[in-house]
Amino acid sequence: MSKLARRQFLQLSAVAAAGVIVAPVREAGASDLPQLSEDDPMAKAMKYTHDASTVDPSTRNNPAADQTCANCALIQGDDGDAWRPCQIFPGKAVAANGWCSVWAPKA
Ligand code: SF4
């Protein structure tokens, strides 16, 4: 390795190392995520809606009466947020008042 190439390598290594050290490590919050569209093919397949009250309870697989994304075991993020990440729809935020056919009770 020539002196110049070695110097460039060392400089790039130092820059890369500094970038790793100063890069903020944070979890994606719902505010960072685009809202899931009801027209998204995966959302349609899961019968996702922004408003759980529009779903006829008799069509649900699970008989629990009060089902919203906010009380689903698969919701993530912070209680009280209107839009939150969901394990079923990575990279998107779902409505806390929403619902889909994968709804599961919290343990
Ligand atoms: Fe909402 Fe749960 Fe369906 Fe996610 S899996 S969209 S939190 S009902």
Side-chain angles (χ1 to χ4, degrees):
M1 185 181 285
S2 73
K3 257 186 170 177
L4 183 59
R6 184 168 186 270
R7 183 178 302 153
Q8 286 176 323
F9 173 78
L10 291 174
Q11 287 171 341
L12 286 173
S13 297
V15 169
V20 168
I21 292 168
V22 299
V25 177
R26 64 185 179 98
E27 197 173 304
S31 61
D32 301 324
L33 300 175
Q35 296 176 358
L36 176 66
S37 167
E38 291 175 332
D39 294 328
D40 179 287
M42 179 80 164
K44 281 187 168 182
M46 301 299 170
K47 301 178 183 172
Y48 171 80
T49 174
H50 296 320
D51 184 356
S53 70
T54 63
V55 179
D56 179 353
S58 68
T59 64
R60 296 174 177 160
N61 294 333
N62 193 311
D66 182 26
Q67 298 182 13
T68 65
C69 292
N71 63 21
C72 175
L74 301 168
I75 196 77
Q76 299 176 311
D78 298 323
D79 285 342
D81 285 355
W83 292 87
R84 298 170 60 179
C86 165
Q87 294 177 45
I88 298 299
F89 299 104
K92 300 285 173 71
V94 299
N97 291 328
W99 179 89
C100 86
S101 60
V102 184
W103 184 91
K106 288 184 179 178

